[in-house]
Amino acid sequence: MVNNYASKLLTLDDNSENLKKYVDKYFILSDTMTYQTLPKPNRKMIKEIWAQFNDIYFTLDKIEKQLKKELGAKQLKKIREILSFYSYAIGYDLGLYIIERTLNKPHFEILLDEPQPEFAIKQGSYADLKFQILHSNYLNAFQKTCNKTISSINNIYTNDTALVKIARSLGNKLPYIVKMRASMGKIYFLRNFADFMTDFQQKMLMPLQRSILDFFGDTRLISRHDGIINKKQCDTIEEILQPGDLLFERKEWYLSNIGIPGFWPHSALFIGNPEQLIKWSDDKIIEDYYRSLYPEFSDFPSHLKFKYPLAWEEYSTADSNGKYNCIVEAIGEGVLMHNIYESIGASDYLAVLRPKLKKKDIAQAIELAFQFWGRNYDFNFDFLSDNELVCSELVYKCYEKDDNKEGLSFELEYVMDKLTLAPNSMITQYCKDTTSSKLSFVTFYDANESKGYAFRNNYDNFQYSYLRPRWGYDSLTFSEQIREGHLDSITTFDRKSKYYQMPVNISLTLSNSLGLMFSQGKEIINYFSLNIFSGKSAKLRGLEIGLIWNYNSEYMNGVQISGIMNTVIEDSYGMQIAGLMNVNASEFYGIQFAGLANFTGSIIGIQTSLLTNSCEKLYGLQIAPLLNTALERSNGLQLGFLNISMNNRNTQIGFINTAGEMKGVQIGFANGSLNVKQGLQLGFFNINKQNKGVPLALFSYVDDVPIQYSIMFDEIPSVSFGIISGNEIIKNKLFVGELINSSEGHFISWGIATNVIGFEDFAIETGINLKHLFRTGDKFFQLNDILQYDISAKINIYKKLFISFGPVFNYYYSESIDLIDVRMFNLSESNSIGNINKSWIGFRFSLNY
């Protein structure tokens, strides 16, 4: 049985080492790379590697449980411990290897965190792995346990070939794991916590964000519900469309148009009705390709019907007007199919582009549209995720290049730290380079909204449509500028020509939205903007007030007040006040107040929040009842229930403080720092990986300094038990004990000590101590205390066992009963009503281990 388990583990170890080769090949990404460096075949391979890792991990976990069950006898304890640790080491080594190459790389993290039902992998499995790697039971004692296991094999099982191989494998893994723990421990801790906080905040805010965006997507600011493009025009358009065409639509006056950059806010994919698709796909190349994959199907539609039955049923069912769902699009409700009246018929503007690709490649894009049908809408707007999609992401991924498919190439963009692609950017990229594009122009339906009709326009008018203002009333003025040759005034990006001065903007709905109609395609600078619902400015120099949302794409020099969120993407010099959240992606010099959260790239000033503050760097003051976070650096003062900093150089005050490296002061209920180079920690508990500063606490844990346990006797007489913690400079001593001459006398004491002279086996130590005395039934906090100063000699007598002894100066004060009766070396004594004072010189003897 033992040999069987050893053989299984060795095989899994070999599989793990082989998997590392694929990890090295596919998990490669520098910080400057973009999503395009992860093509679809690579993403597919990454997910398969992740599935193989989970197979190994789950198998190891299963073996671990079987070992406890089948090798539970006492005489098998040693061999069970060896096999159990080896099982753990295989999984930990491989997990660490993967995390080393993926940590803080969202291209990988998002992919690996997605659910994979076909492999029984749940959502968030990568986050679970990071947590397990960080909080492993063997974490702090891995090197010691590994060496002990190897030694046991070499001393006891020298004739067992399988166990000797296990010892050799553990020896090979040990240097890598020790190295990674030493170099990346800090990163693991802080990045995992940052991930946790990000996920936590996203889970809290996503329902709100989803509700707001759903409201924006369903709310139109005019009574008209239908599009300007009428049914007759829809029928005409359907006749010229071909399966695989890209549709770009604009529905005027919807609130959702505010948050989507550019004139074209929506894209979709035309797949044709069943009759069109059958006729279009009657092509030998398509048939040969799919027959090579699935010999049982003679045509493309039969393949779609068999592989995607639910999507096909939705597609092939006509409505009461005889119209089929010929358009696939991602909207707030998810990836759905609509007929031409529901999609194009609800629009005011339409543009159609056609891929210049082989039919086989277009057929594969259509198949992907069937595959994506039914998936959720991505309210996080992030192209890194395949599990949820926005409208342009659907088009992008349907036509993404594959090993067996030539696709369309679009350059993705970073918008508020999200890798994405707006429909307007797709139009922009096509219009700026039509000669090398793999798209061709099909048609463009323009609109005269003031007169309420749509009309077919030509390419000359379409090619600059991506520069149009976001509100359609100004489109005719825009067209006149194009005809008159005033293109420079639209495309020039100097401040005078790009920005439109509008000192005062007052609206009961959308602050700047009405103003954008009259700004001739330019963004607006506001000096004052009052908006009851929402606001958007290119630049704001004054005051903006909004019930839900304020947004400024560059600097904000004044004050913003919002019921839910303020957002400034670049500089901000003034004050932000929000009922829920403030977001600023760059320098901030003023003050932020938020009902829930503040998020700032770097801050020189003050943040105040009901729940959380989060900064990449902090130079000023953060105040929060629950949480302050400043990764990488914190040079100011943090006050809160929980403070966290990657590199704190000044002061933290709160219930719990954590810091990556600390050179300042921490004052809190519990203090934690990965590496305290200099500074003071003051709290009930201090926990550190390394500490070269001053830890003052009831208990201070330092990873590289062992804790000592002590039994102590003195002349009072008393006996006490306690722990000695801290670093090499400062020791914290916490003891509890009994007065030997009193059956009811108890005490608790705390003190600090430091070495005057220190060697490995001998030291002279001095310190101060406060001993609080109390009796059963008395009030605990009434004054009855001894203040002590001592000098002790500390001698090593055997391995880790030390004796300590020396004189102690004692000063005793009590406002109640006298519990001390010492007759040797008395210095002074007074006893008046309600006050007892004594001082004497005593001694102390202790055994420390």
Side-chain angles (χ1 to χ4, degrees):
M1 185 184 299
V2 170
N3 288 333
N4 182 41
Y5 280 121
S7 178
K8 287 181 179 180
L9 290 172
L10 287 167
T11 300
L12 287 171
D13 197 355
D14 289 339
N15 294 342
S16 172
E17 293 301 318
N18 289 331
L19 192 61
K20 287 181 182 179
K21 298 176 183 177
Y22 289 95
V23 172
D24 288 337
K25 181 177 180 180
Y26 289 98
F27 287 75
I28 300 175
L29 184 68
S30 71
D31 293 336
T32 58
M33 291 183 182
T34 64
Y35 179 84
Q36 277 90 349
T37 61
L38 279 180
K40 184 180 177 183
N42 287 44
R43 299 203 305 275
K44 181 179 179 182
M45 193 63 191
I46 287 169
K47 288 189 174 184
E48 290 179 359
I49 293 171
W50 182 239
Q52 292 180 44
F53 165 77
N54 278 272
D55 285 343
I56 294 174
Y57 214 75
F58 294 149
T59 304
L60 290 169
D61 183 64
K62 183 178 179 181
I63 290 176
E64 176 77 14
K65 294 177 182 177
Q66 291 173 338
L67 288 172
K68 293 179 180 179
K69 181 179 179 180
E70 299 183 15
L71 299 181
K74 286 186 177 181
Q75 61 270 27
L76 297 174
K77 180 180 178 182
K78 180 63 69 175
I79 190 68
R80 184 180 71 246
E81 289 178 347
I82 291 173
L83 294 177
S84 178
F85 180 76
Y86 181 45
S87 172
Y88 160 79
I90 295 171
Y92 187 79
D93 174 71
L94 182 58
L96 191 61
Y97 199 82
I98 291 177
I99 286 179
E100 179 193 358
R101 286 151 179 79
T102 57
L103 187 66
N104 200 34
K105 293 183 174 67
H107 303 72
F108 298 127
E109 291 194 1
I110 292 174
L111 278 178
L112 301 185
D113 251 342
E114 286 186 348
Q116 297 186 57
E118 64 273 24
F119 297 114
I121 298 175
K122 65 178 183 178
Q123 185 169 358
S125 58
Y126 177 80
D128 290 343
L129 174 67
K130 289 191 294 184
F131 184 85
Q132 291 174 29
I133 291 294
L134 178 65
H135 295 90
S136 167
N137 293 331
Y138 290 105
L139 203 60
N140 295 322
F142 183 88
Q143 185 173 8
K144 180 180 178 181
T145 307
C146 188
N147 288 328
K148 182 180 177 181
T149 303
I150 295 171
S151 178
S152 296
I153 295 174
N154 293 336
N155 293 334
I156 304 173
Y157 304 101
T158 55
N159 295 325
D160 193 311
T161 305
L163 291 178
V164 170
K165 289 181 179 179
I166 287 175
R168 189 181 304 119
S169 176
L170 289 173
N172 292 334
K173 297 181 189 302
L174 180 59
Y176 169 73
I177 293 177
V178 171
K179 175 185 175 183
M180 292 306 301
R181 282 299 311 155
S183 63
M184 296 190 66
K186 177 174 68 174
I187 298 175
Y188 281 148
F189 174 79
L190 289 168
R191 290 303 183 190
N192 271 278
F193 185 84
D195 286 349
F196 169 78
M197 287 307 303
T198 300
D199 293 342
F200 175 73
Q201 291 161 358
Q202 185 168 326
K203 286 179 181 178
M204 289 185 62
L205 298 177
M206 184 54 71
L208 176 63
Q209 179 174 321
R210 185 185 298 268
S211 299
I212 292 174
L213 293 177
D214 273 339
F215 175 76
F216 275 39
D218 296 336
T219 303
R220 206 168 194 173
L221 300 179
I222 55 176
S223 59
R224 174 171 60 84
H225 297 291
D226 296 330
I228 294 178
I229 300 176
N230 58 45
K231 288 188 176 181
K232 184 176 180 181
Q233 289 173 322
C234 287
D235 293 335
T236 302
I237 292 168
E238 189 174 14
E239 291 177 0
I240 65 172
L241 293 178
Q242 294 182 9
D245 283 350
L246 277 59
L247 309 180
F248 296 89
E249 302 172 0
R250 178 174 182 82
K251 302 171 185 177
E252 201 61 88
W253 294 105
Y254 273 94
L255 290 182
S256 56
N257 291 346
I258 300 171
I260 303 175
F263 178 78
W264 295 102
H266 184 64
S267 59
L269 185 68
F270 181 78
I271 57 176
N273 60 43
E275 182 180 351
Q276 283 178 296
L277 187 63
I278 292 171
K279 183 178 180 180
W280 175 85
S281 62
D282 185 12
D283 181 90
K284 188 176 185 307
I285 296 177
I286 296 178
E287 291 177 358
D288 289 346
Y289 173 74
Y290 279 96
R291 191 177 291 115
S292 67
L293 299 176
Y294 310 97
E296 63 271 29
F297 301 113
S298 59
D299 57 59
F300 178 56
S302 298
H303 162 73
L304 295 177
K305 182 178 180 180
F306 176 80
K307 196 169 182 181
Y308 312 100
L310 296 178
W312 182 266
E313 182 180 358
E314 178 75 9
Y315 167 67
S316 59
T317 303
D319 65 5
S320 58
N321 296 318
K323 288 294 182 180
Y324 290 91
N325 293 320
C326 56
I327 295 173
V328 183
E329 55 188 336
I331 58 176
E333 291 78 11
V335 181
L336 304 176
M337 292 183 182
H338 288 137
N339 63 47
I340 201 159
Y341 294 156
E342 294 170 330
S343 183
I344 296 177
S347 301
D348 301 326
Y349 300 83
L350 171 72
V352 181
L353 300 179
R354 179 165 297 157
K356 295 187 289 187
L357 301 173
K358 297 178 181 177
K359 279 191 173 184
K360 176 185 75 69
D361 301 321
I362 297 174
Q364 292 180 76
I366 293 173
E367 180 181 358
L368 282 173
F370 274 82
Q371 180 181 320
F372 290 139
W373 176 83
R375 297 196 182 182
N376 293 330
Y377 188 80
D378 186 3
F379 286 96
N380 204 30
F381 302 100
D382 198 330
F383 271 46
L384 292 177
S385 170
D386 290 335
N387 201 44
E388 298 176 332
L389 302 101
V390 296
C391 64
S392 53
E393 185 180 6
L394 171 68
V395 174
Y396 176 88
K397 290 185 175 178
C398 283
Y399 276 106
E400 190 175 8
K401 186 178 180 180
D402 203 339
D403 287 343
N404 297 314
K405 181 183 74 176
E406 185 181 3
L408 301 176
S409 297
F410 293 102
E411 290 294 327
L412 300 185
E413 306 165 328
Y414 278 97
V415 178
M416 292 192 68
D417 294 328
K418 300 292 183 184
L419 199 58
T420 186
L421 177 66
N424 198 69
S425 294
M426 301 171 80
I427 295 283
T428 302
Q429 292 179 37
Y430 164 71
C431 291
K432 286 186 175 181
D433 189 10
T434 56
T435 55
S436 61
S437 175
K438 293 180 181 178
L439 290 168
S440 60
F441 174 77
V442 177
T443 190
F444 169 44
Y445 273 75
D446 208 340
N448 188 325
E449 192 181 357
S450 60
K451 295 183 179 180
Y453 68 89
F455 58 96
R456 189 169 181 175
N457 214 331
N458 57 29
Y459 175 78
D460 290 339
N461 285 279
F462 165 74
Q463 65 176 330
Y464 299 114
S465 62
Y466 66 90
L467 291 170
R468 289 189 179 191
R470 298 183 187 181
W471 300 93
Y473 269 120
D474 200 37
S475 62
L476 294 180
T477 304
F478 178 89
S479 300
E480 291 173 3
Q481 291 180 352
I482 297 296
R483 286 195 295 270
E484 293 174 6
H486 294 165
L487 185 61
D488 290 342
S489 65
I490 299 173
T491 59
T492 304
F493 284 88
D494 63 272
R495 184 168 298 174
K496 289 183 178 179
S497 63
K498 181 182 178 184
Y499 297 104
Y500 181 84
Q501 304 288 339
M502 181 174 280
V504 179
N505 192 332
I506 300 175
S507 172
L508 297 180
T509 53
L510 297 175
S511 186
N512 296 327
S513 301
L514 296 176
L516 285 173
M517 297 185 308
F518 307 105
S519 62
Q520 299 180 348
K522 307 169 188 177
E523 298 286 11
I524 294 178
I525 294 178
N526 281 138
Y527 292 91
F528 174 77
S529 173
L530 171 67
N531 46 289
I532 300 302
F533 187 77
S534 176
K536 193 277 175 190
S537 293
K539 294 177 182 287
L540 176 69
R541 293 183 179 275
L543 170 69
E544 189 169 46
I545 302 173
L547 180 62
I548 290 184
W549 194 290
N550 296 304
Y551 169 83
N552 297 275
S553 61
E554 296 191 24
Y555 57 73
M556 186 274 292
N557 289 340
V559 178
Q560 285 195 103
I561 302 173
S562 177
I564 290 185
M565 175 179 284
N566 297 302
T567 303
V568 177
I569 303 304
E570 292 185 7
D571 295 333
S572 176
Y573 309 107
M575 175 187 294
Q576 288 187 339
I577 302 173
L580 180 63
M581 179 167 55
N582 295 303
V583 180
N584 199 84
S586 185
E587 297 292 332
F588 185 90
Y589 304 104
I591 300 174
Q592 285 185 322
F593 298 91
L596 180 62
N598 297 301
F599 305 96
T600 304
S602 62
I603 180 172
I604 302 176
I606 299 173
Q607 285 196 102
T608 302
S609 173
L610 179 63
L611 181 61
T612 178
N613 296 303
S614 180
C615 282
E616 185 73 16
K617 297 179 181 179
L618 173 69
Y619 305 101
L621 172 70
Q622 282 187 322
I623 303 173
L626 182 58
L627 176 70
N628 295 303
T629 304
L631 296 178
E632 298 298 338
R633 189 172 182 180
S634 170
N635 279 6
L637 173 68
Q638 288 185 318
L639 303 171
F641 291 170
L642 178 66
N643 299 305
I644 296 171
S645 289
M646 171 77 83
N647 189 345
N648 179 48
R649 303 191 179 201
N650 279 305
T651 306
Q652 287 185 320
I653 301 176
F655 285 177
I656 298 175
N657 299 303
T658 64
E661 293 182 357
M662 190 198 77
K663 294 185 179 181
V665 179
Q666 283 187 325
I667 303 174
F669 179 82
N671 301 308
S673 290
L674 293 170
N675 188 359
V676 181
K677 293 182 178 180
Q678 301 169 8
L680 169 68
Q681 285 186 315
L682 179 61
F684 285 99
F685 302 98
N686 297 318
I687 301 174
N688 307 282
K689 186 173 182 62
Q690 291 183 336
N691 190 318
K692 297 181 181 180
V694 180
L696 299 179
L698 294 179
F699 175 75
S700 291
Y701 173 79
V702 180
D703 187 53
D704 57 356
V705 178
I707 297 171
Q708 291 184 325
Y709 304 93
S710 177
I711 179 172
M712 185 181 300
F713 307 90
D714 60 24
E715 81 291 341
I716 291 178
S718 69
V719 59
S720 59
F721 302 88
I723 56 175
I724 302 173
S725 61
N727 59 15
E728 298 289 354
I729 303 171
I730 298 294
K731 300 293 184 184
N732 296 288
K733 298 184 176 184
L734 181 63
F735 283 81
V736 294
E738 297 287 325
L739 302 179
I740 296 175
N741 62 351
S742 172
S743 60
E744 296 182 345
H746 323 291
F747 66 85
I748 181 171
S749 69
W750 176 82
I752 60 173
T754 186
N755 289 341
V756 178
I757 300 173
F759 301 99
E760 184 176 355
D761 296 324
F762 174 78
I764 299 295
E765 188 178 79
T766 184
I768 58 173
N769 187 71
L770 180 64
K771 183 177 292 186
H772 178 64
L773 286 68
F774 59 95
R775 298 188 306 172
T776 304
D778 288 348
K779 294 181 179 179
F780 179 80
F781 290 107
Q782 66 184 9
L783 291 176
N784 203 322
D785 302 281
I786 303 174
L787 182 63
Q788 301 175 313
Y789 172 76
D790 69 271
I791 299 176
S792 303
K794 186 178 178 182
I795 303 172
N796 179 237
I797 58 175
Y798 178 74
K799 292 186 176 180
K800 297 182 180 180
L801 184 63
F802 290 80
I803 61 170
S804 180
F805 57 90
V808 182
F809 172 78
N810 300 271
Y811 171 74
Y812 175 57
Y813 174 81
S814 176
E815 63 178 7
S816 57
I817 188 170
D818 187 355
L819 295 178
I820 302 299
D821 184 18
V822 179
R823 302 184 181 277
M824 58 181 295
F825 304 110
N826 287 327
L827 299 177
S828 66
E829 181 174 351
S830 65
N831 193 337
S832 59
I833 298 175
N835 292 286
I836 301 166
N837 293 271
K838 294 181 181 181
S839 62
W840 72 94
I841 295 176
F843 72 91
R844 178 178 297 158
F845 174 82
S846 66
L847 287 171
N848 305 328
Y849 178 79

